């Protein structure tokens, strides 16, 4: 297969390294990923600055590699332009260091890179590991490698991506095909004082898992299961008009 790999943690991230090394012996692997950490950039594009692409040789046996000083979505757009002669079988984004569950997919650069691939009609997967341990990355990469055909055959593609999350422990209890859950964080905005007396903020927080999410990705991960969640970039929620058009004044 011709496989395009990107991520949001950077081209030298341990998760991308594990994925590339697992796939290169078996497939034609092309990599275009951020030069530096780009987590939580969502689907941002660099519109008012120059984006540079630098050829790298980090992964022996890869077909081509580019480090790009832009966002994950930039990387997929530019990478696909650079590899325009290649017909890709799939796009893999990850393996992310940390989960991308529930509404966090809105903020995720990992998910955005996969969605960008899907916008070009390529089956795309966003892949994340809860703990980001080296053994966890390796096990997740082997799972992807061993199940590519199954993953590709399991879904119908209509500008969709599949969000895959791996649990913290390596001995998975199973696979769950599930919905996006609800992520709840405690103390998500932390206000602190600098040594000079000014205020500054960290956007962080401790994850809480509500008990009523049985059929969601959040619940699956809490039960040490791999979660598979199909996602679609479509914010439209059209129903009958909420307001009768005759009520609007046009003069």
């Amino acid at each position: 297969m011709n496989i395009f790999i990107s991520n949001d943690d950077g081209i030298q991230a341990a998760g991308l390294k594990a994925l590339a090394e697992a796939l290169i012996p078996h497939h034609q692997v092309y990599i275009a990923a951020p030069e530096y950490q780009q987590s939580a950039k969502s689907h941002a594009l660099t519109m008012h600055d120059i984006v540079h692409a630098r050829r790298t040789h980090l992964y022996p046996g890869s077909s081509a590699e580019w480090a790009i000083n832009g966002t994950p979505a930039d990387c997929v757009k530019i990478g696909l332009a650079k590899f325009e002669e290649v017909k890709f079988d799939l796009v893999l984004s990850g393996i992310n260091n940390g989960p991308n569950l529930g509404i966090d997919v809105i903020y995720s650069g990992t998910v955005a890179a996969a969605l960008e691939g899907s916008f070009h009609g390529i089956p795309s997967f966003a892949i994340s590991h809860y703990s980001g341990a080296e053994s966890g990355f390796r096990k997740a990469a082997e799972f992807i490698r061993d199940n590519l055909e199954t993953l590709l055959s399991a879904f119908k593609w209509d500008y969709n991506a599949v969000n895959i999350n791996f649990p913290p422990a390596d001995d998975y209890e199973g696979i769950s095909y599930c919905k996006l859950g609800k992520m709840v964080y405690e103390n998500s905005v932390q206000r602190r004082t600098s040594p000079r007396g000014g205020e500054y903020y960290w956007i962080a927080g401790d994850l809480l898992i509500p008990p009523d999410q049985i059929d969601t990705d959040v619940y699956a991960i809490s039960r040490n299961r791999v979660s598979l969640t199909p996602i679609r970039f479509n914010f439209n929620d059209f129903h009958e008009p909420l307001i009768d058009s005759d009520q609007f004044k046009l003069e």
Side-chain angles (χ1 to χ4, degrees), residues 4-230:
F4 183 114
I5 296 179
S6 192
N7 73 348
D8 70 357
D9 289 329
I11 195 166
Q12 298 189 64
L16 188 150
K17 180 175 185 289
L19 191 59
E21 290 179 349
L23 294 173
I24 284 172
H26 309 281
H27 303 280
Q28 300 299 310
V29 173
Y30 299 77
I31 300 169
E35 190 163 16
Y36 307 110
Q37 172 64 255
Q38 293 285 322
S39 291
K41 291 297 179 72
S42 188
H43 216 111
L45 293 175
T46 303
M47 302 293 291
H48 304 288
D49 204 350
I50 296 171
V51 180
H52 295 281
R54 177 174 59 86
R55 192 73 180 262
T56 62
H57 303 279
L58 298 169
Y59 303 105
S62 69
S63 297
E65 305 168 20
W66 291 91
I68 297 169
N69 70 331
T71 67
D74 289 337
C75 292
V76 177
K77 278 187 175 293
I78 294 171
L80 289 176
K82 284 192 168 295
F83 310 140
E84 61 182 349
E85 75 285 356
V86 181
K87 180 175 175 56
F88 285 103
D89 296 289
L90 72 161
V91 170
L92 299 177
S93 177
I95 302 170
N96 190 64
N97 184 358
N100 279 301
L101 301 165
I103 61 172
D104 281 1
V105 302
I106 295 173
Y107 307 107
S108 169
T110 304
V111 173
L115 284 169
E116 186 63 38
S118 78
F119 294 165
H120 295 267
I122 307 170
S124 302
F125 297 85
I127 310 163
S128 303
H129 191 277
Y130 196 96
S131 68
E134 183 177 351
S135 63
F137 282 142
R138 187 168 55 250
K139 178 76 179 294
E142 291 169 354
F143 176 95
I144 296 297
R145 178 197 65 200
D146 296 342
N147 291 281
L148 280 180
E149 295 288 352
T150 301
L151 288 167
L152 281 171
S153 66
F155 302 96
K156 294 181 178 179
W157 300 94
D158 180 19
Y159 296 109
N160 288 346
V162 176
N163 190 38
I164 305 175
N165 280 274
F166 289 89
D170 294 342
D171 53 337
Y172 311 143
E173 295 294 332
I175 315 296
S176 291
Y177 180 72
C178 46
K179 302 184 298 186
L180 291 176
K182 182 179 181 182
M183 300 293 281
V184 179
Y185 291 94
E186 188 175 39
N187 301 320
S188 60
V189 177
Q190 299 174 14
R191 183 174 61 184
R192 300 179 184 180
T193 304
S194 74
R196 295 186 177 182
E199 288 186 354
Y200 68 96
Y201 298 85
W202 280 108
I203 298 178
D206 300 318
L207 174 63
L208 304 175
I209 301 178
D212 58 344
Q213 300 200 55
I214 302 300
D215 57 350
T216 69
D217 54 358
V218 177
Y219 184 84
I221 291 298
S222 73
R223 294 300 185 269
N224 205 45
R225 298 176 66 86
V226 179
S227 69
L228 304 179
T229 304

